[in-house]
Amino acid sequence: MSKRDDIVTAAVDVFSRYGFRQTSMELLARAAGVSRPALYQHFANKQDVFAAVAARVTDLTTDAAHHARDAEGTPADQVYGVLSVKLETVIGVTEARFRQELVAEAAAMGLASVEDRLLDALVDLLAEAPEPRETAALLLASTVGIGQSDGTPEVLRGRLRRLVDLVMNGLNTTPPQRS
């Protein structure tokens, strides 16, 4: 692993704990175990470090979502797998008070959206559903809501599984004809 990779790895934790605004190059250098001048040899500024972190997180999340999408199992299992990737990021390492700030900063910088990539993976799985993109967007938004609700990670995962089962069963049910 290169020194740049080490810095990005350390920076994931720093941005997760302090958010974008409170993170400084000094904090990033300390976390990576390098001097500030050494940090500047790899990154021009905090935005450059953040962009590298966002790219890494997006790539890792996308890879995990594609793996879940392509895994063996029922369509409900695959949808749950993709949504679990999102749930784990919501209940994972980033402090709740900084999540929205980090997402907003990434959007302001024009960085690739993890949500867009997760949405695409879900649309692939829901291609036969009516309005697959809207259904996928609803499931993603619901996953965020579940992740922000009270409960242990196990309880939240159970809620997500129940939601997926309800939606997938509903999609497999032919609605009664109205007269």
Side-chain angles (χ1 to χ4, degrees):
M1 186 180 268
S2 72
K3 182 51 76 179
R4 181 181 170 86
D5 289 335
D6 292 343
I7 293 167
V8 172
T9 298
V12 170
D13 181 57
V14 174
F15 284 116
S16 295
R17 288 181 33 221
Y18 298 101
F20 183 80
R21 285 185 223 110
Q22 292 181 19
T23 293
S24 66
M25 291 296 273
E26 181 63 34
L27 274 173
L28 292 166
R30 257 190 279 145
V34 298
S35 66
R36 279 185 56 192
L39 180 61
Y40 281 108
Q41 289 177 355
H42 297 280
F43 297 96
N45 53 39
K46 177 172 69 169
Q47 289 80 1
D48 284 351
V49 180
F50 183 73
V53 166
R56 173 164 307 159
V57 169
T58 298
D59 289 346
L60 291 172
T61 302
T62 300
D63 290 347
H66 288 172
H67 180 72
R69 178 197 64 198
D70 299 337
E72 295 291 322
T74 66
D77 293 337
Q78 294 166 324
V79 168
Y80 174 78
V82 171
L83 291 172
S84 290
V85 171
K86 178 64 177 176
L87 182 65
E88 295 306 322
T89 64
V90 173
I91 64 176
V93 296
T94 303
E95 290 194 28
R97 62 190 167 133
F98 297 126
R99 267 186 225 114
Q100 195 55 40
E101 176 192 336
L102 295 172
V103 169
E105 189 62 36
M109 292 173 69
L111 301 175
S113 167
V114 171
E115 281 73 23
D116 289 343
R117 293 189 182 181
L118 291 173
L119 189 66
D120 290 342
L122 287 168
V123 168
D124 289 348
L125 292 170
L126 299 168
E128 301 300 315
E131 300 185 52
R133 192 164 247 352
E134 186 60 28
T135 303
L138 178 64
L139 284 167
L140 265 178
S142 299
T143 301
V144 172
I146 289 169
Q148 293 173 345
S149 64
D150 289 333
T152 65
E154 293 75 26
V155 167
L156 301 181
R157 288 180 192 108
R159 288 178 185 155
L160 178 61
R161 185 67 219 203
R162 180 78 176 126
L163 172 68
V164 169
D165 289 343
L166 287 168
V167 169
M168 296 304 287
N169 286 335
L171 291 172
N172 291 328
T173 303
T174 304
Q177 296 294 322
R178 295 184 185 188
S179 357

